Amino acid sequence: MAQARKQQLPRIVVIGGGTGLSVMLRGLKEKPLDITAIVTVADDGGSSGILRSELQMPPPGDIRNVLIALADVEPLLSDVLKYRFNSGTGLAGHSLGNLMLAAMTDITGDFVSGVRMLSKVLAVRGRVLPAAGEAIVLKGETVDGTIITGESNIPKAGQAIKRVFIEPPDVEPLEEAVEAIREADAILIGPGSLYTSIIPNLLVPKLAQSIVESCAIKMFVCNVMTQPGETDDYTVSDHLEAVQRHIGHQLFDYVIVNDGEIPEQVQQKYAEMGAKAVHLDLDEMQRRGYKVIADKLVMFRTYLRHDAEKLSHHIYQLVENWMERKR
């Protein structure tokens, strides 16, 4: 009976990486949705980069964050998985969750099986899939023609990004990921670092093609703030233009954006880091045919984050309305 109910839930595929995706998924998992998260494997910095290099495995960091976000576990276990060692030869800088994924990969023989096994241990609500079964190398080209190698190096280039691309360019996606997109009622992309978390997934050829061909409702959640070295001075439409430039298609039906005011002191804090609020150029968005959902979607603690409850409410409403029209 439970399996039958699950099959009737709207099937949503969420694609991205980074902190923004994890925050959003904490809200979405409370909705009656069948969630599949497809997560980038381009990370090469920090603990993920070390494990990727030394163990020849895909980087676990973004996957770990998504697993924790979707896990149905006690808060203490969540904190344990996020715990990062501060000392110890070989241990310093590593999070326990990353090491567990490395161990599961070794035990099961491959990364995808390791993710699947840890998902069961953590009682994850939904499925978490890497965009590909192998690590990909992300490269960027700046406006002056310089080529930068490595996801962690691209924002440090000091030049505006013209494009990013992956090696190998013909990397095969997981068949499960392609199948999830084909069967999806809704596809949601973002939030996250535009050039280093979102677009790398869309550069996996068969993934992008499956999204283009899908009849699902397609939504984009725009970042609240610009990201230094990636999206300096970008408007909302600039984010969408970058996706379209890389994929060759206007993918999205709906764009979800924040239009709530950000306190002056918070803006000043971000300005010191070279970031500012992403400007909503509504007229340009509508001219391009996007439907825009705008609301006060941010909350501030140490950093600005999407309000997961309000954001997931808007997403669920769009999916529900879409399902009603299909019936």
Side-chain angles (χ1 to χ4, degrees), residues 28-307:
L28 277 183
K29 77 176 180 181
E30 302 301 332
K31 302 294 183 184
L33 294 167
D34 183 355
I35 300 171
T36 298
I38 299 175
V39 187
T40 180
V41 284
D43 189 9
D44 64 358
S47 169
S48 286
I50 293 169
L51 292 172
R52 167 181 175 152
S53 174
E54 293 189 355
L55 301 181
Q56 301 301 301
M57 63 178 282
D62 285 327
I63 294 275
R64 178 204 76 227
N65 286 332
V66 170
L67 286 171
I68 294 171
L70 288 174
D72 193 8
V73 294
E74 293 295 327
L76 179 58
L77 180 54
S78 176
D79 290 340
V80 167
L81 290 168
K82 290 185 282 190
Y83 176 76
R84 198 171 293 274
F85 293 92
N86 294 313
S87 59
T89 304
L91 273 179
H94 285 297
S95 75
L96 184 59
N98 283 1
L99 295 176
M100 286 181 68
L101 272 169
M104 286 292 194
T105 299
D106 202 33
I107 290 167
T108 61
D110 71 274
F111 185 64
V112 176
S113 298
V115 172
R116 193 177 293 121
M117 189 67 67
L118 192 55
S119 296
K120 290 180 181 177
V121 171
L122 299 177
V124 164
R125 299 188 198 179
R127 287 188 297 169
V128 180
L129 303 172
E134 61 180 292
I136 59 176
V137 176
L138 186 66
K139 295 190 174 186
E141 181 184 359
T142 63
V143 290
D144 68 355
T146 303
I147 302 295
I148 301 106
T149 299
E151 176 265 352
S152 59
N153 294 320
I154 289 171
K156 304 172 187 173
Q159 292 280 341
I161 300 166
K162 180 180 178 182
R163 68 181 181 113
V164 290
F165 55 100
I166 59 172
E167 288 187 354
D170 56 351
V171 64
E172 286 288 323
L174 289 188
E175 188 54 42
E176 287 173 82
V178 173
E179 195 64 28
I181 291 169
R182 287 178 182 153
E183 294 178 351
D185 299 303
I187 297 170
L188 177 63
I189 296 176
S193 300
L194 180 64
Y195 288 105
T196 53
S197 289
I198 293 174
I199 290 177
N201 295 294
L202 304 177
L203 295 176
V204 178
K206 290 181 184 176
L207 277 188
Q209 191 59 35
S210 298
I211 295 169
V212 170
E213 293 171 356
S214 170
C215 295
I217 182 175
K218 298 165 194 172
M219 299 167 280
F220 181 80
V221 179
C222 191
N223 292 340
V224 175
M225 306 297 288
T226 61
Q227 187 165 356
E230 285 203 40
T231 55
D232 299 285
D233 298 318
Y234 270 38
T235 63
V236 176
S237 66
D238 288 333
H239 283 76
L240 294 158
E241 171 63 29
V243 174
Q244 186 171 343
R245 193 169 66 244
H246 281 79
I247 311 308
H249 293 272
Q250 184 166 310
L251 289 182
F252 307 106
D253 304 302
Y254 288 89
V255 181
I256 303 172
V257 299
N258 171 64
D259 71 349
E261 284 202 23
I262 298 169
E264 184 63 34
Q265 67 270 24
V266 177
Q267 292 192 49
Q268 289 176 2
K269 176 177 178 177
Y270 273 83
E272 291 168 6
M273 298 184 285
K276 63 182 182 181
V278 174
H279 173 63
L280 171 55
D281 47 346
L282 187 58
D283 289 344
E284 179 62 21
M285 299 287 294
Q286 291 174 337
R287 187 187 71 77
R288 297 185 186 195
Y290 295 109
K291 300 180 185 75
V292 178
I293 305 296
D295 195 1
K296 187 177 188 297
L297 295 175
V298 290
M299 55 200 311
F300 179 76
R301 292 194 177 100
T302 307
Y303 296 97
L304 275 173
R305 294 283 184 256
H306 276 100
D307 182 325

